[in-house]
Amino acid sequence: MTKPVEPDAGAAETAPLSVPDRLTAAATRLFAEHGFERTSVQELVEAAGVTKGAMYHYFTSKDDLLFAVYERVLSMQTRRLAAFAEAEGPVARRLHQAAADVVITTVDNLDDTLIFFRSLHMLSPARQSQVRKERRSYHELFRSLVEEGAREGAFRTDVPPDIVVSQYFGAVHHLGMWYHADGELSGAQVGEHFADLLLASLRT
Amino acid sequence: MTKPVEPDAGAAETAPLSVPDRLTAAATRLFAEHGFERTSVQELVEAAGVTKGAMYHYFTSKDDLLFAVYERVLSMQTRRLAAFAEAEGPVARRLHQAAADVVITTVDNLDDTLIFFRSLHMLSPARQSQVRKERRSYHELFRSLVEEGAREGAFRTDVPPDIVVSQYFGAVHHLGMWYHADGELSGAQVGEHFADLLLASLRT
DNA sequence: CGAGAATCACAGACCGGTCGGTATGTAGGT
DNA sequence: ACCTACATACCGACCGGTCTGTGATTCTCG
């Protein structure tokens, strides 16, 4: 058995995922459910259908696993934002699209983003600063769109762009606290409303 | 020694606070600094200058102490919001004042609000639902202001008030993740900007 | 081409340390 | 005598991480 286990050998779910993928998937679910500290390595590996030996073969520590969960969603969102920022068209439209999109990717990965802000402080200082650095460049990319609109006269100039971005992302990052997939509004609908409110708040 | 200890008997800070108050103050600081789970009861009571016996005399568990921290700031913010909501004047002005005020009280109690959203899930389910209930009535009081403005024609009606309120409080609750008292802007300045953006986003 | 060596990918028992909570004791007030 | 308000010693559970073992695969070299 080089990579996949034989079908239907494990517990409930036995998709042919690799062992590291099974571990990150189980970690995402359990960390979001009980929190990072309340989830023991033992129950984590049992949920993933592997053993501790397997986990410590691929990850150096429990923190490392948390970090891997962070990286996945953070790099994905950064890539998407860059694509919207570099696109053609008026800045108001690009900002609206980017703002709505980050809501959609956030609700599509609600567990990850919930863990993100709940457990960042559990990471080693080195890992924390690495995550913060990535988060910061993400913030700055978004801010550059706001500044571009302000220069062009499309947006108001009496509120610091940093405040605008911090306010918006604060709202997005808090989605994990209240949004439920089985609620009235889809992620796309919430994204539209959020983006509409953002653009309205920036009108001259 | 019925209530106060003799002056200058403990560690660094020996204000004549009662033992429960010393414990909640130490808990607020340590939970915000290292997180709830990483803070042991032993270091907590040492920071408060008391012993475990004292702590378990006033609180039934470590969770109970966390709950007490929650209650203090939550009830305070609810009282203040009610005062603004019940005041006189146009709804736009009352909403602006309430929106700016919640930012100020949040940055004035940044540790508490940080703990709040980071460690809510560590509470027992019963306690969690009690906190959520209070949080919900707070949300609804704020929402009633938005709805009042919409009825009067002062605010737009094409975005659900719940979305507006969730977005705004999301941003406020996330202040603990980025606001620093030694930064460029004071809490009052951030509050003004936040409230300005909120009101602008609601214009018809 | 084949056999032994080295490596990989885990398995699972085990350990030192820590932690929340309790049991028991006691000084002072009433 | 009794209650309040603590102090202190202690316990059993648990947890992250390590260590050794092992079957399968790959590499090496004659």
Side-chain angles (χ1 to χ4, degrees), chain A residues 19 51 53-54 57-58:
Chain A
V19 169
T51 61
H57 179 71
Y58 290 106

Side-chain angles (χ1 to χ4, degrees), chain A residues 91-92 145-158 199 202-204:
Chain A
V91 64
L145 281 173
V146 175
E147 288 168 338
E148 184 184 335
R151 273 199 309 277
E152 289 180 7
F155 301 152
R156 63 197 289 179
T157 56
D158 62 334
L199 269 291
L202 287 172
R203 276 183 314 212
T204 49

Side-chain angles (χ1 to χ4, degrees), chain A residues 126-143:
Chain A
R127 250 76 187 271
Q128 267 188 57
S129 64
Q130 189 177 341
V131 171
R132 278 181 209 279
K133 210 183 107 194
E134 287 191 58
R135 204 79 215 167
R136 185 174 175 74
S137 70
Y138 184 78
H139 176 107
E140 281 166 6
L141 184 53
F142 203 89
R143 189 186 62 192

Side-chain angles (χ1 to χ4, degrees), chain B residues 11 20 33 42 69 72 76 80 129 147 174:
Chain B
E33 202 169 329
Q42 194 55 47
V69 171
R72 197 182 61 83
M76 184 264 286
R80 292 182 70 94
S129 64
E147 288 168 339
H174 228 70

Side-chain angles (χ1 to χ4, degrees), chain B residues 60-104:
Chain B
T60 65
S61 64
K62 194 182 168 190
D63 288 39
D64 196 35
L65 193 51
L66 178 61
F67 184 69
V69 171
Y70 279 12
E71 273 297 298
R72 197 182 61 83
V73 63
L74 188 51
S75 65
M76 184 264 286
Q77 288 191 323
T78 303
R79 276 197 310 276
R80 292 182 70 94
L81 173 58
F84 282 108
E86 290 162 9
E88 297 288 312
V91 64
R93 190 151 69 89
R94 279 178 288 142
L95 180 61
H96 191 285
Q97 287 177 332
D101 184 72
V102 69
V103 171
I104 293 172

Side-chain angles (χ1 to χ4, degrees), chain A residues 179-200:
Chain A
Y179 182 83
H180 286 97
D182 53 356
E184 289 181 14
L185 293 167
S186 70
Q189 287 173 308
V190 175
E192 279 297 307
H193 286 315
F194 267 37
D196 284 351
L197 289 168
L198 172 64
L199 269 291

Side-chain angles (χ1 to χ4, degrees), chain B residues 17-68:
Chain B
L17 285 171
S18 69
V19 169
D21 285 350
R22 292 229 301 280
L23 281 165
T24 51
T28 297
R29 191 166 50 83
L30 291 174
F31 289 168
E33 202 169 329
H34 318 299
F36 176 73
E37 301 272 89
R38 294 253 165 124
T39 305
S40 73
V41 172
Q42 194 55 47
E43 64 178 320
L44 198 152
V45 297
E46 277 165 20
V50 300
T51 60
K52 268 176 136 184
M55 188 205 126
Y56 280 98
H57 178 72
Y58 290 106
F59 301 93
T60 65
S61 64
K62 194 182 168 190
D63 288 39
D64 196 35
L65 193 51
L66 178 61
F67 184 69

